[in-house]
Amino acid sequence: MKRDNILYLVVPCYNEEEVLNITSKALYEKMKTLIKDNKISKKSKILFVDDGSKDKTWELITSFYNNDKMFQGIKLSHNKGSQNALYAGLMFARENADMAICIEADLQDDVNVIDKMLEEYDNGAEIVYGVRSSRKSDPFLKRITASAFYRFMNFIGVEMIVNHSECRLLSKVALDTLAQFSETNIFLRGMIPQLGYKTAIAYYDRGERKAGKSKFNFKKMMNFAMDGIISFSIAPLRLITVIGMLLFAISIVSLLVTLIINLCGTAISGITFIILNMWVLTGIILLSLGIIGEYIGKIQLEVKKRPRYIIEEKLIEKN
Ligand code: UDP
Ligand code: MG
């Protein structure tokens, strides 16, 4: 083990006042043990990123920082979502650390996964993915939708690690490479596998949230899934082309059939058929426009090149 390696734990927090006291204690103890065992440098830090919380999250982070400078904090001016919060933390870690580990504020990720990740890092991995060995602690609906999402993403050709959420280790090299990705819409689970390098997996049991409620409502989950699909694949656009070609082929066949029937002297009646066709085709056209619209929307957001996050306050003490 290399005792000089500086580790930054990056913890995104959105309205986490209920759980932060428990989290800070658990992470602090873990870091102290790692330092005592010479696994990481004394200069290692726990970096909380307050993602525009409206409760006492920032006050708590400030009090941790005032008690011990192992705790550091960044406050974003507005709620930008966990992806941007994580990214902000990682970019800070990049300046001072040899490696960073992302971990949820609710302690759902077992903190002992950190030891396994450090071992893999010592073995030369630049990226270590935390992968859940089971999803038993997740509600039934979440398990089903998550599994369908991973399958769908793999199906449309997006490289993603199954059952890996945001818990991962990134070395300085990986962080520097990530910093070169200039997109505004960040979807880390899709971006990190694009970095390449030597990777490893650390399995862990994902537990229940220690306190408070999940910050992901249905709308946020849908947005997250859409971001992943639109930012990483043009498969939905291809699908429109395929449907278009299929409908074109069907229209040629029906044209021929109608002509032949007409030539035989029989008139075609079928107002119901025409109405049904109209509804189905209009539906397909609107759906296709919607999909194209989603891509145009994403392009618009990318073209604007707005900052991914705005930092309102920093509690950073450099070593
Ligand atoms: N989070 C965040 N910004 C948000 C939503 C969530 O920084 O807009 C953080 C949250 O505080 C937590 C992590 O992202 O540390 C994962 O959120 P949560 O545990 O609520 O999600 P779940 O585990 O239920 O999917
Ligand atoms: Mg959670």
Side-chain angles (χ1 to χ4, degrees):
M1 295 277 175
K2 295 169 220 145
R3 73 177 86 169
D4 298 335
N5 284 329
I6 301 177
L7 166 68
Y8 269 49
L9 292 184
V10 176
V11 193
C13 310
Y14 179 54
N15 294 341
E16 297 285 11
E17 63 180 7
E18 284 113 321
V19 80
L20 269 192
N21 276 316
I22 311 173
T23 311
S24 63
K25 277 197 195 84
L27 294 181
Y28 187 78
E29 272 164 32
K30 184 84 232 166
M31 291 292 265
K32 281 284 172 199
T33 317
L34 290 170
I35 292 171
K36 194 167 85 332
D37 296 345
N38 275 334
K39 289 186 180 170
I40 54 170
S41 155
K42 286 200 286 281
K43 295 176 183 166
S44 299
K45 305 280 182 207
I46 301 167
L47 175 62
F48 289 110
V49 185
D50 180 355
D51 185 17
S53 301
K54 291 174 190 72
D55 64 357
K56 298 231 158 38
T57 298
W58 186 244
E59 277 92 325
L60 284 169
I61 296 171
T62 312
S63 72
F64 302 150
Y65 173 78
N66 289 336
N67 283 335
D68 194 314
K69 295 293 181 285
M70 181 189 278
F71 293 107
Q72 312 251 292
I74 314 171
K75 180 175 167 53
L76 305 189
S77 66
H78 190 64
N79 178 234
K80 298 287 264 174
S82 63
Q83 298 293 298
N84 288 302
L86 276 168
Y87 191 85
L90 289 174
M91 289 305 109
F92 257 85
R94 178 181 161 234
E95 285 166 24
N96 304 300
D98 296 299
M99 62 208 159
I101 293 180
C102 306
I103 197 150
E104 276 187 23
D106 56 8
L107 285 187
Q108 279 199 278
D109 308 317
D110 177 10
V111 290
N112 295 317
V113 74
I114 297 174
D115 298 70
K116 293 187 203 164
M117 288 182 163
L118 292 177
E119 268 169 40
E120 295 294 350
Y121 175 80
D122 279 341
N123 291 337
E126 304 285 354
I127 301 167
V128 186
Y129 296 105
V131 171
R132 303 167 196 190
S133 28
S134 87
R135 276 192 164 264
K136 272 184 228 134
S137 63
D138 277 347
F140 179 70
L141 193 69
K142 184 147 189 178
R143 238 182 300 165
I144 298 282
T145 46
S147 151
F149 179 61
Y150 286 119
R151 272 166 215 267
F152 180 71
M153 291 298 272
N154 280 326
F155 175 70
I156 61 175
V158 184
E159 204 183 325
M160 265 178 73
I161 312 290
V162 176
N163 284 340
H164 157 66
S165 53
E166 302 299 343
C167 179
R168 65 178 77 86
L169 176 147
L170 296 172
S171 71
K172 169 102 176 83
V173 173
L175 289 172
D176 285 344
T177 315
L178 181 66
Q180 291 172 25
F181 283 52
S182 58
E183 60 236 62
T184 310
N185 291 287
I186 300 172
F187 183 69
L188 290 169
R189 281 181 227 185
M191 282 162 80
I192 309 266
Q194 304 285 317
L195 302 183
Y197 298 119
K198 184 171 186 253
T199 62
I201 285 182
Y203 289 97
Y204 70 99
D205 281 329
R206 190 168 151 97
E208 305 271 347
R209 191 175 237 284
K210 294 286 178 286
K213 285 200 188 83
S214 173
K215 305 298 175 284
F216 272 89
N217 52 26
F218 185 70
K219 193 172 149 216
K220 273 195 177 177
M221 292 244 290
M222 286 306 286
N223 279 341
F224 181 67
M226 278 300 260
D227 264 355
I229 297 166
I230 306 281
S231 308
F232 278 87
S233 170
I234 56 159
L237 291 177
R238 289 257 163 82
L239 185 73
I240 297 176
T241 317
V242 173
I243 294 176
M245 283 178 351
L246 215 72
L247 286 179
F248 183 65
I250 294 172
S251 72
I252 300 267
V253 175
S254 32
L255 185 83
L256 289 176
V257 172
T258 321
L259 270 178
I260 293 166
I261 295 176
N262 251 331
L263 286 176
C264 298
T266 335
I268 296 187
S269 84
I271 195 85
T272 327
F273 181 71
I274 291 170
I275 290 176
L276 205 70
N277 253 343
M278 204 180 76
W279 279 102
V280 172
L281 292 180
T282 316
I284 293 174
I285 291 168
L286 285 180
L287 181 73
S288 309
L289 278 177
I291 294 175
I292 297 169
E294 286 287 339
Y295 281 88
I296 296 176
K298 279 277 175 287
I299 297 170
Q300 191 209 18
L301 290 174
E302 288 295 336
V303 168
K304 279 189 193 161
K305 282 274 163 270
R306 286 194 178 156
R308 297 171 179 126
Y309 50 84
I310 296 160
I311 293 170
E312 189 179 327
E313 252 181 86
K314 282 187 253 182
L315 299 171
I316 302 282
E317 187 161 286
K318 290 208 172 137
N319 295 305

